[in-house]
Structure formats: C-alpha cells, structure tokens
Amino acid sequence: MFKYSRNGVSVLVVLDRRRAKKSGLYPVKVEVVYRRRQKYYPTGQDMSETEWMCFPARTSMEVAAMIDDRFYRVKSEVDIMLRNGSFSFTALATNLGKGTERTVNEILSSMMEEFRTEGRVNSYYRCRSTLKSIERFAGNDIPLSDITPHWLKSCEAFWRGEGKSATTVSIYMKTLKSIVNRAFRDGLVGPNAFPYGRGRYVVPAGNGRKRALSRSAIRRIIDYKGEPRLEESRDLWLFSYLCNGINFMDMLYLKYRNVVGNEIWFVRSKTKGTMSETRQIRAVFTEEMRRIVARWGNADDGNPDTFLFRYAAPYDDAFAAVSKVRRVTSMCNRGLAKIASEIGIPKFTTYSARHSFASVLKWSGVDIAFISESLGHSSLSITEHYLAGSGEEERRKRAKILTDLNPGKSGR
C-alpha cells in the first residue's frame, strides 16, 4: 500500500527513528531511495514504536488518509519524472517545493509583506502575532504537512496553557486557517490532508465577553489616588469611558478641530470606508475630560491640527500610529491591572471603558436608540447584540430577589 519502485527509485513510508520528539514519538516520513541515497519528506504524523508495528491495520482512517495523501504526492512526482526519462533529487525538491515543502512560517511572512505593502496595518500585526505564537509552539520551520487536527489541538492547548484568552486563540486559529485555505485553493494541500471540518479540527469561537464594570467599581476608579503613572492610566481609561467609549486609536489622535463648542465630534476609524454614510459621533466635552487633557495633553494653541493628547505626532504614518497606540494601550493596561489590585475590583482593561459606557446607560434606563447613536453603530440590532446578556451588577439584583422572601410582600 505504501511502497513504490520503478527504474531504480523506491518510495516508501517509514518511521524515522533517528531522533525522537519531546513527546517520545517518532515522525512518520516518506523515504525516497535512489542510487543508495535517501531523502525524507514529512507526513505530519508521529507514532510510537508500538503504533508503527500496527500500521496501517490498526491506524485511524484519518491518520492513514493523511499519510496516504503525502505518499501519493511524492510518488506521483517521482512517477512523472521517470516517465519523462529522468530523475533527480534536485528536481523532486523543486516540484515538491511549490507545495508541501513550503513552511507555515514562510507563508505567514509573505502575507505580512502583502499587508504592509497594502497598508493593512491591523492585518499585518494579526499575522505577526500569530507567527510569533506559532513559533513558540513549533519552531521556525513548520511544514504545511505538519498542520493536522492533532497538531492544531496541541497548539490550541499550548496557547491556553500560556494563558491566552479564548478570543485570542480564536483569532490566531482563524489566521492559521486562512493560510491553509489559501494553500488548499492553490493545490498545495490535498483534500485528505485538509485538517478542518467535521470530525477533524474546528476553530474555537471567541468567548465574546465584554466585561462592563459595575457603577461602584467605576466610582472607585474615579476616586483613585496613586503615583502619577497609575493616575495617567486611570485618566486615559476615564476619558475613553466619558467620550462614548472611544477606542484608543481614535482618542489618541483627536485634534482640536474635533472640539465643536462643548462637544467632541469624531468618526470611528474602524468604520471609515466601510459604511455608505459617514456616521458622526458626538460626545459632551465634560469638565472632567477637560481636566484630563490639561494633565496629559496639549494646550489649545489655536491650531485646529494640534492633538488633544501628547502621544501622537503629525508625521505618524499608519504603522507608526498603530505601534504608538499599542504601546500606550499596553502601558495603560498594566497600570489598570495595578489599580484593580489596589482597590479590590476585578481586573479590567482599556476596552472595558466602551462596554461600561454602554452598560451604565442601559442600567440607567437610557433608550437603546441613543446608546446606539452614541456608540456609532449602524443599526439597533448591532447594539442589542452588543449589550446582550445582563451585567454582573444586574445579575446580583436578580439573585437577591431569589432569597428576598419576606412574607409581608405581595405574592404567594
């Protein structure tokens, strides 16, 4: 089943016992022998000595199919060359190099360069983060053929062991799936080796949880006093919260031209170019927000292009802006974690400002249409989904009802 020989060239599947992996297993490879020379090509499968002794009779259909797919690919290339009257390992490497010999690392790096050229900054950083995380798990030379359901499950477990959130794991796995899909469309991955789908590997969904802080927690954050760097983190979070939950990219690049009377007008960078109609968001420029700008920002010098905050620069291109925002956000999140520990509230991040803004309005009975307009959502259904589920504060009130069984109250 897994042996082929013609004109002095042999192709067979072997267990490469030269070096065991950390798991104690050995890689299953396709061996090509020609004029007493051997070359090995990975199948992406590993086995123990005992499992190999039972191969293929007691091997799962999925694993056997993937090994067969790789064997067939190598055998086919060898057969074509022999029918054309010549064979060489160099030619075989060239032919296979278009497909299974390409590495995940190379493809992700290539995609990063595409995104850099196209100015797709977030896609570039998503690929970069995914690549770094994959290399921590499996090294700098990962063949496409290694991407099997077992490999993906092990990789997922590794990331979760690092403390990655369900959302982060989902993003990394979706990025990885996109390159495997591309390789599949290009004929670089055979159907039997495609690792996704029912009965194989399914990319986990992000938990989608957007924790809103309770009103009492927000009050404690506002009242917090500490060293300057922590107060800076607190103030940036508070400005975002008060400014309709504005994200840090939009916030750090606000200019005085965005101040219209006693309001701040802005368009979310996330939605620019994605909507047929530009959606202007308007937030009241409160006295607390003005004090925050006075502490950490630039004074109004009459130039409408002066940034409110001191972090941005007029010469920042898209990549410099994203890098700067990531740096400030990371600094802020470290400060917020320290504040949470000091005042005894759950750990929170910059993103919680947006969800807290919307949830506090919801808890206070504000009409959902106003909340939707304030967030810059394109429809009420998006806002309803965004606010789906009750916050912790609301759940506590509901739970109290279950034990508040005063006989004097109405009811049975």
Side-chain angles (χ1 to χ4, degrees):
M1 178 179 180
F2 293 106
K3 292 182 180 179
Y4 165 89
S5 182
R6 181 175 177 177
N7 296 350
V9 182
S10 299
V11 183
L12 60 159
V13 174
V14 301
L15 188 69
D16 186 356
R17 299 180 178 86
R18 291 176 296 177
R19 186 174 61 183
K21 294 190 173 183
K22 290 181 180 179
S23 62
L25 304 179
Y26 296 94
V28 178
K29 295 184 177 180
V30 177
E31 181 186 54
V32 179
V33 183
Y34 177 59
R35 292 181 179 176
R36 298 184 180 181
R37 289 181 59 201
Q38 299 91 24
K39 290 286 185 179
Y40 297 91
Y41 304 90
T43 66
Q45 302 299 314
D46 302 321
M47 291 186 186
S48 66
E49 293 270 12
T50 303
E51 290 171 327
W52 177 249
M53 290 175 63
C54 301
F55 175 77
R58 298 184 182 179
T59 305
S60 72
M61 293 179 61
E62 178 186 352
V63 171
M66 290 181 180
I67 294 174
D68 180 64
D69 188 88
R70 177 59 170 157
F71 172 77
Y72 180 79
R73 173 70 193 280
V74 177
K75 168 184 170 296
S76 297
E77 293 293 345
V78 170
D79 195 50
I80 290 170
M81 283 191 284
L82 291 175
R83 281 191 277 110
N84 290 334
S86 64
F87 172 84
S88 72
F89 282 118
T90 301
L92 179 60
T94 299
N95 293 342
L96 292 176
K98 294 176 59 180
T100 55
E101 291 296 295
R102 286 199 70 187
T103 67
V104 174
N105 316 67
E106 291 170 348
I107 297 173
L108 272 171
S109 296
S110 176
M111 288 177 66
M112 285 167 57
E113 288 309 308
E114 288 179 25
F115 292 142
R116 181 191 286 277
T117 302
E118 296 169 3
R120 296 169 61 183
V121 183
N122 290 327
S123 296
Y124 169 86
Y125 278 109
R126 173 174 49 80
C127 280
R128 191 179 78 162
S129 297
T130 302
L131 177 58
K132 287 183 176 180
S133 296
I134 287 174
E135 289 181 341
R136 283 200 306 276
F137 169 67
N140 301 321
D141 188 22
I142 310 166
L144 269 172
S145 56
D146 273 10
I147 311 304
T148 64
H150 174 74
W151 189 96
L152 289 164
K153 290 172 185 174
S154 298
C155 185
E156 179 184 336
F158 174 81
W159 286 337
R160 292 188 186 278
E162 285 189 322
K164 294 288 187 293
S165 69
T167 299
T168 298
V169 171
S170 179
I171 291 171
Y172 290 168
M173 282 301 183
K174 285 177 181 177
T175 303
L176 184 54
K177 185 177 180 180
S178 71
I179 72 167
V180 176
N181 279 334
R182 176 185 289 196
F184 179 73
R185 289 193 302 269
D186 293 344
L188 307 181
V189 173
N192 287 332
F194 191 72
Y196 300 96
R198 189 175 181 180
R200 297 188 179 185
Y201 180 81
V202 177
V203 173
N207 57 24
R209 189 172 72 174
K210 307 174 182 70
R211 183 188 293 273
L213 297 175
S214 68
R215 281 172 281 206
S216 60
I218 295 171
R219 183 72 262 166
R220 276 186 271 178
I221 294 168
I222 293 173
D223 294 338
Y224 174 79
K225 301 295 181 184
E227 56 184 286
R229 67 181 183 85
L230 296 182
E231 289 194 358
E232 181 180 7
S233 298
R234 175 207 61 194
D235 284 351
L236 292 177
W237 184 92
L238 184 56
F239 189 98
S240 173
Y241 168 73
L242 295 172
C243 196
N244 295 22
I246 188 173
N247 70 43
F248 268 45
M249 172 62 81
D250 295 328
M251 184 177 81
L252 299 188
Y253 282 84
L254 285 174
K255 297 179 177 180
Y256 274 97
R257 69 169 62 255
N258 296 107
V259 179
V260 181
N262 291 316
E263 292 184 322
I264 292 178
W265 294 11
F266 66 97
V267 176
R268 294 180 71 198
S269 57
K270 183 178 179 179
T271 62
K272 286 178 182 176
T274 63
M275 293 184 176
S276 57
E277 178 184 348
T278 301
R279 192 169 294 275
Q280 186 93 252
I281 300 174
R282 303 181 183 189
V284 175
F285 196 12
T286 66
E287 287 303 316
E288 180 59 35
M289 293 163 69
R290 292 176 188 273
R291 284 194 291 271
I292 290 171
V293 172
R295 289 191 203 111
W296 314 108
N298 298 308
D300 185 359
D301 58 1
N303 182 354
D305 286 325
T306 297
F307 293 107
L308 263 67
F309 291 99
R310 66 186 185 191
Y311 312 98
Y315 49 79
D316 289 344
D317 61 15
F319 276 88
V322 169
S323 178
K324 193 165 288 185
V325 170
R326 287 162 66 97
R327 187 167 62 251
V328 174
T329 302
S330 179
M331 175 274 293
C332 192
N333 282 335
R334 289 194 298 271
L336 297 178
K338 178 70 172 172
I339 291 171
S341 176
E342 288 187 19
I343 64 178
I345 66 172
K347 184 178 178 181
F348 64 106
T349 66
T350 57
Y351 186 72
S352 66
R354 181 169 176 80
H355 202 62
S356 296
F357 163 81
S359 296
V360 168
L361 292 183
K362 175 189 174 185
W363 299 334
S364 302
V366 174
D367 185 75
I368 193 170
F370 177 83
I371 299 175
S372 182
E373 178 185 347
S374 300
L375 291 171
H377 287 165
S378 58
S379 68
L380 291 181
S381 61
I382 293 175
T383 309
E384 289 167 349
H385 176 74
Y386 185 82
L387 291 171
S390 302
E392 181 180 351
E393 190 170 278
E394 209 167 329
R395 290 194 297 271
R396 287 181 182 276
K397 290 180 181 178
R398 300 292 186 271
K400 190 174 181 181
I401 293 173
L402 299 176
T403 55
D404 191 4
L405 306 175
N406 191 324
K409 293 189 175 182
S410 60
R412 293 185 179 180

